[in-house]
Amino acid sequence: SKQPFLICLGHFANWDFCIKKANDLYPQVSIMYRKANNPIIDQIILDTRQSPTVQMIPKGVSGSRKLLNALKNKRSILMLIDQKMNEGIEVPFLGRPAMTANAIAKLSLQYNYPIVPIRVVRTQGSNFTVTIHPSIQYNPTGDNDADCYNIMLILNNLLGEWVKDKPSQWFWFHNRWK
């Protein structure tokens, strides 16, 4: 539809394979990422992922202005949503309450961006299947807190199904739950 959208990913297989293919989906893409603690490593990440049409935006206060600018410029935004966020909202994930970042839901509701889940699965050797799912369907009620919770419940359930289907594909070392 040529409309910008929010790309929803989790840390599955070689998820960053999508970064190189992002422009096949939309001409201008911004990627939210967590800056590496080591500035040298962070620069390597930026050098390998950024391009003239792919912009890296660090999470947190320093990236907020860049994110708003990206939205104003109708860029699609790629977000990994399976990280624990202490300041997030509690939403079930794999049957247990998990602190969940709800930024993707807030952005979708505020800017009317559809959320498109993408799943990457390593099949054999260095071969992958990338599945671009239809955008999630959700009718806002006007209660922003409830709407954010319900959108994140849909997304956590989807990610949970992917984990159960191929648990060895989920690349996550941190404690996702309390």
Side-chain angles (χ1 to χ4, degrees):
S1 68
K2 308 283 187 214
Q3 175 189 358
F5 51 93
L6 299 165
I7 302 167
C8 168
L9 290 166
H11 290 85
F12 292 92
N14 291 49
W15 62 267
D16 54 341
F17 174 74
C18 287
I19 294 170
K20 298 293 185 196
K21 303 302 279 177
N23 293 128
D24 292 348
L25 303 173
Y26 194 77
Q28 297 290 319
V29 177
S30 295
I31 300 166
M32 297 301 301
Y33 85 107
R34 182 189 172 280
K35 285 178 84 167
N37 294 338
N38 181 324
I40 295 168
I41 299 298
D42 191 61
Q43 190 59 52
I44 292 169
I45 290 169
L46 291 175
D47 291 345
T48 58
R49 293 182 179 166
Q50 237 169 200
S51 73
T53 57
V54 176
Q55 170 193 41
M56 299 295 289
I57 299 176
K59 289 182 181 182
V61 176
S62 64
S64 296
R65 188 169 294 138
K66 287 182 181 180
L67 175 61
L68 292 175
N69 193 39
L71 291 163
K72 188 183 341 176
N73 289 312
K74 304 290 186 203
R75 297 178 70 92
S76 286
I77 310 293
L78 186 149
M79 302 176 89
L80 290 135
I81 64 159
D82 57 346
Q83 296 174 309
K84 178 183 178 187
M85 296 296 288
N86 291 329
E87 64 277 358
I89 61 173
E90 195 171 81
V91 180
F93 180 60
L94 292 170
R96 295 176 55 199
M99 293 305 289
T100 302
N102 63 347
I104 197 166
K106 286 181 177 182
L107 293 173
S108 176
L109 291 166
Q110 185 173 351
Y111 293 94
N112 199 31
Y113 270 39
I115 299 172
V116 178
I118 297 179
R119 181 182 185 190
V120 180
V121 175
R122 179 186 290 270
T123 53
Q124 186 174 19
S126 57
N127 296 302
F128 301 89
T129 298
V130 177
T131 305
I132 302 168
H133 293 267
S135 60
I136 67 160
Q137 298 302 306
Y138 182 75
N139 294 318
T141 65
D143 180 340
N144 199 55
D145 290 339
D147 290 340
C148 283
Y149 176 88
N150 289 324
I151 289 169
M152 294 316 302
L153 183 61
I154 291 167
L155 295 174
N156 273 4
N157 284 340
L158 181 61
L159 291 179
E161 289 172 21
W162 296 351
V163 171
K164 288 185 227 176
D165 181 46
K166 298 200 181 304
S168 65
Q169 301 279 327
W170 192 38
F171 187 71
W172 195 245
F173 293 107
H174 303 284
N175 187 358
R176 186 67 178 83
W177 300 270
K178 290 181 184 178

